[in-house]
Amino acid sequence: MRRQIVAGNWKMNKTHDEAIELIENILNATYDDSVQLIAIPPSVYASEIVGKVVGSKMGVGVQNSSQHAAGAYTGELSSAMVKSIGVEYVLVGHSERREYFNEQNSVLAKKIDQLLANDLTPIYCCGEVLEEREAENHFNIIKNQIEEGLFHLTEDQLQNCIVAYEPVWAIGTGVTASSDQAQEMHHFIRSLLIEKYGLDVANTISILYGGSCKPSNAKELFANPDVDGGLIGGASLNASDFVAIANSFS
Ligand code: PGA
């Protein structure tokens, strides 16, 4: 009913030759092809990597794109440009973009509009920081991110989106959300989608977990009914770890 997805966010890592070696090693490995794999390299390599994945089940994404359609925005990438090189997915609102580039929900909603207008699939990231969880404010934070980022969309538009829950305190820290914590928040996100869009629509949306997901914990995380896969950072930089995670659906 929902796609199982494992996406690798390479962030700002790998030189050209390293990036090509990584994608080739992933493509040469044996992975469960009922799982949608997505490589999200630095955008400078995206075009070449799109060429490499032809004929495989791997999709390609980039890590960011502009809320503007075109014009004098030095350094930015438009959705149309990304689409024109064969990329299919774009991360929106990763916590590092929210924190270091001050991206607010209102801007992220506009980025999503640009992506959908260009027939691209947004992977919309949400997540709370440690202080918010400790203050027991995490459900409110996520509700706000989901509502402000997504709730202006029509049913059809929402069905072209993927959601990623990434507790910020688990990203790159080695501390993973427990399987119960992940399921609890994924279930909460799905209940928000059910309330707004109804059960049938909400049940088609893949919700990925991100934050120190690795081969040793992926199986337990992915076994949860509302966890439809992972958005993998550090472990996606190693082909055998990434493929082991992709093979962790039971
Ligand atoms: P991590 O990063 O797997 O290194 O914690 C996840 C992400 O930021 O997407």
Side-chain angles (χ1 to χ4, degrees):
M1 164 176 64
R2 287 194 285 278
R3 279 196 303 168
Q4 294 177 318
I5 298 169
V6 173
N9 173 13
W10 300 2
K11 306 191 182 182
M12 197 175 75
N13 292 295
K14 304 285 182 192
T15 60
H16 171 269
D17 291 1
E18 291 166 349
I20 298 306
E21 188 185 356
L22 175 57
I23 195 69
E24 285 176 346
N25 285 341
I26 295 170
L27 291 169
N28 285 335
T30 307
Y31 52 82
D32 176 353
D33 71 0
S34 66
V35 178
Q36 173 66 62
L37 296 192
I38 305 171
I40 312 180
S43 48
V44 69
Y45 312 134
S47 183
E48 191 173 352
I49 289 182
V50 165
K52 292 269 171 204
V53 305
V54 169
S56 77
K57 278 261 325 200
M58 173 86 68
V60 179
V62 293
Q63 299 168 18
N64 182 38
S65 63
S66 174
Q67 68 271 34
H68 303 290
Y73 299 101
T74 300
E76 291 291 276
L77 288 178
S78 75
S79 294
M81 291 173 191
V82 168
K83 177 73 183 176
S84 72
I85 60 165
V87 161
E88 295 172 273
Y89 303 90
V90 179
L91 290 182
V92 179
H94 188 279
S95 64
E96 288 148 19
R97 302 289 317 172
R98 292 177 186 266
E99 181 180 355
Y100 306 135
F101 302 93
N102 197 29
E103 293 188 354
Q104 308 288 327
N105 293 334
S106 54
V107 167
L108 301 174
K110 291 190 180 131
K111 292 187 180 212
I112 289 174
D113 292 343
Q114 285 293 335
L115 294 172
L116 292 172
N118 285 282
D119 205 15
L120 288 155
T121 300
I123 303 176
Y124 180 61
C125 305
C126 58
E128 80 285 357
V129 300
L130 187 59
E131 299 76 57
E132 291 162 344
R133 181 165 278 264
E134 285 175 345
E136 294 188 5
N137 200 23
H138 46 303
F139 291 112
N140 284 332
I141 296 292
I142 301 304
K143 182 168 190 274
N144 203 39
Q145 291 174 345
I146 294 287
E147 286 180 354
E148 293 187 4
L150 295 176
F151 276 16
H152 64 292
L153 301 177
T154 65
E155 281 181 15
D156 285 351
Q157 288 176 319
L158 185 81
Q159 286 181 286
N160 288 319
C161 296
I162 297 167
V163 175
Y165 169 60
E166 300 202 300
V168 181
W169 46 271
I171 295 179
T173 59
V175 180
T176 318
S178 70
S179 175
D180 288 349
Q181 285 171 322
Q183 169 57 22
E184 182 184 42
M185 187 58 87
H186 283 230
H187 181 72
F188 176 70
I189 293 168
R190 196 167 321 276
S191 68
L192 295 173
L193 299 177
I194 291 171
E195 235 172 81
K196 170 81 177 167
Y197 293 97
L199 189 63
D200 289 350
V201 172
N203 271 342
T204 65
I205 309 298
S206 297
I207 306 177
L208 314 183
Y209 170 79
S212 297
C213 184
K214 38 189 184 270
S216 58
N217 58 29
K219 212 177 175 80
E220 195 186 345
L221 287 161
F222 297 174
N224 287 300
D226 287 296
V227 178
D228 304 308
L231 178 55
I232 319 301
S236 74
L237 299 175
N238 176 293
S240 58
D241 284 352
F242 184 65
V243 170
I245 293 170
N247 290 334
S248 293
F249 293 91
S250 32

